[in-house]
Amino acid sequence: MRAGRLILGATIAVMALGSSQARRVQEASDWRLAATEEDRVRIRGWRTAWIKGLAQARGGGAAADIAALGLLADPDHSIAGPELPDGEYRCRTIKMGTQGRATLTYVAYPYFRCRVSQKGAQLAKIDGSQRLSGRIYPDTDARSIFLGTLILGDEERSYAYGRDRARDMAGVVERIEPQRWRIAFPFPAYESVVDILELVPAAPAP
């Protein structure tokens, strides 16, 4: 019985921590106040993850694929104005490197659909087997920061940010061309060393 009470107490404590984190995400205007400590560390190491992922992908035989990505794969290129206008986007994920649990060091997915709303503050990937939902925070004139969660399979709702480390997502948002953006996700919970989400405005309906 005592063990059951301890487990219940620990579960309640974790839920309370998640609820507290979710409130900070909604209330904070500074991403550093909203982010978990783990995600602040991940963001600080974004370039380290990128360089490591690139090296592993090239070493695994994807040098030509990476070259074809052009500016998208260059961690040192961005232009001012990282803000994403509201609207529909075509988006695709490039995974580079491996954390040891995956054998592939480079995977490029096809384009899916993303949506930006609330004056550039909210981003959602709305189809595909791995989706995301979260908030974009202003940071500098060269980058913004995304904090959100991963949604899998047929799940209809996302976890609250900060409740599950394996679902939390933290990324650096940059503009690389006038109508082209990317988000670099360093050290994601699964598979790769760095994920790059490319976003380009969807073509208007005919």
Side-chain angles (χ1 to χ4, degrees):
M1 182 65 72
R2 183 172 181 271
R5 288 197 298 269
L6 288 174
I7 293 172
L8 177 60
T11 301
I12 292 172
V14 170
M15 292 178 65
L17 179 62
S19 297
S20 175
Q21 185 71 50
R23 286 195 299 272
R24 287 201 296 273
V25 170
Q26 292 301 320
E27 297 170 1
S29 57
D30 187 329
W31 70 269
R32 297 167 187 83
L33 300 178
T36 63
E37 175 59 26
E38 291 87 349
D39 283 347
R40 289 194 293 271
V41 171
R42 286 202 282 184
I43 292 297
R44 286 198 295 270
W46 72 269
R47 194 176 189 281
T48 299
W50 200 318
I51 297 302
K52 181 178 179 180
L54 274 175
Q56 289 187 0
R58 286 173 174 144
D65 296 297
I66 292 170
L69 297 176
L71 297 174
L72 183 65
D74 182 355
D76 297 319
H77 173 80
S78 66
I79 61 177
E83 300 82 10
L84 281 150
D86 285 1
E88 304 292 319
Y89 289 79
R90 298 170 65 236
C91 55
R92 63 168 176 162
T93 298
I94 311 295
K95 292 177 173 286
M96 295 188 292
T98 176
Q99 298 183 37
R101 296 186 296 273
T103 57
L104 295 176
T105 58
Y106 179 87
V107 179
Y109 288 93
Y111 284 99
F112 289 97
R113 293 184 298 150
C114 285
R115 179 176 297 135
V116 176
S117 59
Q118 298 187 29
K119 298 181 179 178
Q122 295 290 327
L123 169 66
K125 181 174 178 285
I126 56 180
D127 58 1
S129 60
Q130 295 186 13
R131 303 176 302 284
L132 60 81
S133 177
R135 180 173 172 184
I136 299 175
Y137 292 82
D139 189 35
T140 71
D141 62 356
R143 76 175 196 179
S144 302
I145 300 296
F146 173 87
L147 298 176
T149 55
L150 178 66
I151 308 167
L152 297 174
D154 59 358
E155 295 174 348
E156 296 182 358
R157 297 182 62 184
S158 62
Y159 281 51
Y161 174 77
R163 180 163 292 180
D164 185 342
R165 165 67 178 81
R167 295 299 188 96
D168 289 346
M169 303 182 71
V172 176
V173 184
E174 294 177 310
R175 190 180 192 182
I176 57 173
E177 293 180 15
Q179 293 294 307
R180 194 182 187 197
W181 290 260
R182 70 183 175 206
I183 307 178
F185 295 97
F187 303 113
Y190 301 103
E191 302 171 338
S192 50
V193 175
V194 64
D195 291 349
I196 308 298
L197 180 69
E198 178 188 20
L199 299 111
V200 292

